[in-house]
Amino acid sequence: MHNPLNRLVAAALCALALVLGGAPAAQAQLGVSRPKGQDLIDGIIVKVDNQIVLRSDVENIYAQETARAEGKALPPDLRCKILQSLVLNKLMLARADVDSVTVTDAAVDGELSRRMAYFVQQVGSEKKLEELYNKSVKSLKDDLRPQVKEQLVQQKMQETITGKLAVTPREVNQYFTRIPKDSLPYYSTEVEVGQIVVPAQVNDAAKQAAVAKLNDLRAQVLAGASFEELAKKYSEDPGSAAQGGLLGFFKRGELVPEYEAASRKLEPGQMSPVVQSQFGFHLIQFIERKGDSYSTRHILLKPATGASDASASAKKLARLRTQILSDSISFAKAAKDNSSDKASSSNGGLLANRQDGGSRLPLDKLDPAIFFTIDTMKVGHITPPLPYRTDDGKDAMRILYLKSNTAPHQANLDDDYQKIAAAALNEKKSKALDLWFVKNRGTVYLEVVPEYAQCKVLDVEL
């Protein structure tokens, strides 16, 4: 039961939890039989100790896979494979209860806030998100909380099983030689693209306006106004505004230093002066302490940037570009010292392939903004400064660098070592999970409804 669907399952459950009622149940039951004419009715199909798998859990993921297939034939036993993966997840949750593997409320709150901010960014605004699902952000968070908590526990359990695994060059070579020559993947054109991002600077007038507004709100609270209501009305933090600015519990080091330092000086009910961080300007209200965790709420204002602010960033990038082209400094060094995008700056400015962690990106999977920019570039060229909006919605400028352009080719160890190593490591982790499953499947109570008995969820090929 190698488990390539494991990550898919977690991601699908999270995304579909936002949709009331889930995806429509598919009418064809490939790999699972049911009496003719019987409608699909949601219910428990597997019990693993106190954990359960619902029919809708399987059907939602199956529907998503059907949509991704775009008309291509799906494996006849796909539902069984999905169910096996779900059962493994539930077994990890059941064992987590026994082994006291837990995650903090702060970790769950942080992940919920991160996901809400992402969803808000995708649809354009918090209001649009609420209209789309006909629910408040708080209700959406409440709906997601059980799934997010389960996923974090599963991740923690999986980390205890596979986190220390690695592959040697010999294992990578052995993995590659086992692949039949006619089964080697064929890679399309791949490129290595670097970037240096410099955010637009907020002018002093905008900063002063934000500080003045927060000081006015602070005075209103001291005069008796509700901090929560003011946060709902004015805060520009999409993840917490609807909850009256509530962030929930966090431990030391989990929030940005400026916010944490100001929070820890406060007593329950007290407010901070205006605090500046990388996210903007905060007014913080302390709620309570529990052990080494603390809970706060805040009002966040993000001063807007303007064209004149972006021009200063463009001038800085233009100077860097000139220095790089004249060999006064390497692109990697310039990115490390100047780029605000930490993910790429620590990698010589190169964008990472999320599938294998390497720096080579399939040309046909590039962000359109990058694709249409580098499509006419030659290797080694660097663009002039270009407007850019960061993942958290901030205005910025960036330059793009085309480091390499690899022609389409069949996989080989010289060109594709990192991809092959990632695949070898995934196989090793899958085998470790299978061994763990075999070792622990007898330690829990498991019951499968007759409809899914043919899936043989406890059978594992080692």
Side-chain angles (χ1 to χ4, degrees):
M1 186 190 63
H2 298 317
N3 212 23
L5 287 174
N6 199 35
R7 292 179 183 174
L8 162 68
V9 168
L13 286 175
C14 170
L16 291 169
L18 280 175
V19 185
L20 293 179
Q27 295 303 306
Q29 284 266 54
L30 296 180
V32 177
S33 61
R34 104 178 158 270
K36 186 176 180 180
Q38 179 179 319
D39 291 332
L40 276 174
I41 301 175
D42 199 12
I44 298 171
I45 57 175
V46 177
K47 293 181 181 179
V48 185
D49 274 359
N50 61 338
Q51 302 292 328
I52 62 171
V53 178
L54 299 175
R55 179 177 284 105
S56 58
D57 295 336
V58 175
E59 291 302 319
N60 286 342
I61 298 169
Y62 184 86
Q64 191 175 68
E65 283 301 289
T66 301
R68 287 183 179 181
E70 298 179 342
K72 296 178 183 177
L74 292 170
D77 61 346
L78 178 58
R79 278 189 175 84
C80 286
K81 290 181 177 178
I82 292 171
L83 183 59
Q84 280 187 325
S85 194
L86 286 168
V87 169
L88 173 59
N89 287 341
K90 297 302 182 182
L91 176 58
M92 284 194 284
L93 287 171
R95 289 302 310 176
D97 284 342
V98 175
D99 299 339
S100 299
V101 175
T102 61
V103 294
T104 65
D105 289 340
V108 177
D109 290 337
E111 180 64 12
L112 282 169
S113 294
R114 187 190 67 79
R115 294 190 189 189
M116 281 300 114
Y118 171 79
F119 291 135
V120 168
Q121 182 184 353
Q122 292 302 301
V123 301
S125 71
E126 191 174 291
K127 183 178 180 182
K128 287 182 180 178
L129 182 68
E130 292 179 334
E131 290 174 348
L132 183 62
Y133 293 104
N134 196 30
K135 283 190 173 187
S136 68
V137 169
K138 182 180 185 306
S139 294
L140 291 173
K141 274 190 171 183
D142 290 342
D143 288 346
L144 270 176
R145 182 174 294 277
Q147 287 84 3
V148 168
K149 186 171 184 178
E150 281 193 359
Q151 289 161 23
L152 293 180
V153 172
Q154 289 167 10
Q155 290 171 14
K156 195 168 181 179
M157 277 295 295
Q158 189 160 327
E159 183 68 16
T160 65
I161 302 165
T162 67
K164 295 182 180 180
L165 294 179
V167 286
T168 64
R170 182 180 180 182
E171 288 174 317
V172 175
N173 186 69
Q174 290 174 338
Y175 172 84
F176 182 73
T177 56
R178 291 201 310 269
I179 304 174
K181 297 300 180 185
D182 58 357
S183 298
L184 289 172
Y186 188 82
Y187 295 124
S188 60
T189 301
E190 295 178 315
V191 293
E192 287 183 296
V193 179
Q195 68 174 8
I196 300 176
V197 179
V198 177
Q201 299 301 308
V202 179
N203 60 48
D204 289 339
K207 290 181 181 179
Q208 291 168 7
V211 172
K213 179 63 178 178
L214 286 173
N215 279 327
D216 176 64
L217 295 177
R218 190 175 193 277
Q220 291 184 45
V221 175
L222 292 174
S226 166
F227 191 104
E228 296 97 309
E229 293 304 316
L230 292 176
K232 290 177 182 179
K233 186 174 181 180
Y234 295 107
S235 181
E236 295 173 350
D237 176 7
S240 70
Q243 288 76 249
L246 181 64
L247 291 183
F249 283 94
F250 286 88
K251 291 184 177 181
R252 186 184 296 275
E254 292 182 331
L255 294 175
V256 291
E258 301 89 348
Y259 190 101
E260 179 176 295
S263 298
R264 287 186 169 274
K265 294 177 183 177
L266 303 174
E267 296 298 327
Q270 287 185 337
M271 280 187 298
S272 70
V274 176
V275 177
Q276 184 177 4
S277 79
Q278 67 193 67
F279 299 105
F281 292 88
H282 311 259
L283 180 62
I284 305 168
Q285 185 181 59
F286 196 87
I287 300 175
E288 64 175 315
R289 288 186 178 85
K290 284 185 179 179
D292 60 350
S293 299
Y294 62 98
S295 175
T296 59
R297 64 177 79 248
H298 76 145
I299 299 173
L300 173 68
L301 295 184
K302 303 175 183 179
T305 55
S308 60
D309 306 310
S311 67
S313 301
K315 289 178 182 177
K316 178 178 180 178
L317 285 169
R319 289 194 299 270
L320 286 173
R321 180 176 183 268
T322 299
Q323 292 173 344
I324 297 167
L325 293 175
S326 65
D327 292 329
S328 297
I329 187 175
S330 68
F331 189 92
K333 173 68 172 171
K336 181 179 179 181
D337 293 345
N338 298 278
S339 183
S340 65
D341 181 46
K342 301 306 179 185
S344 60
S345 65
S346 61
N347 189 38
L350 296 178
L351 302 177
N353 185 325
R354 295 182 181 179
Q355 296 298 317
D356 60 21
S359 58
R360 283 167 48 180
L361 309 166
L363 188 63
D364 56 355
K365 300 291 177 64
L366 282 180
D367 182 313
I370 296 177
F371 174 85
F372 289 112
T373 300
I374 69 165
D375 190 38
T376 57
M377 290 173 61
K378 294 181 179 179
V379 172
H381 281 200
I382 301 173
T383 66
L386 303 169
Y388 177 60
R389 185 171 287 272
T390 62
D391 289 342
D392 56 359
K394 294 179 180 177
D395 291 326
M397 300 292 290
R398 71 175 172 180
I399 55 176
L400 294 174
Y401 163 51
L402 181 58
K403 182 179 180 181
S404 71
N405 189 325
T406 305
H409 64 283
Q410 196 167 42
N412 63 81
L413 279 172
D414 290 334
D415 295 326
D416 308 297
Y417 182 86
Q418 201 151 12
K419 289 187 179 69
I420 297 164
L425 180 58
N426 283 336
E427 181 186 70
K428 192 171 186 178
K429 288 183 175 182
S430 291
K431 289 180 178 179
L433 286 172
D434 289 347
L435 287 169
W436 181 89
F437 183 85
V438 169
K439 180 181 178 181
N440 288 275
R441 63 188 175 187
T443 67
V444 297
Y445 167 79
L446 190 141
E447 179 184 348
V448 183
V449 298
E451 178 185 348
Y452 285 84
Q454 67 194 68
C455 286
K456 300 179 181 178
V457 294
L458 290 181
D459 289 354
V460 176
E461 296 180 9
L462 297 177

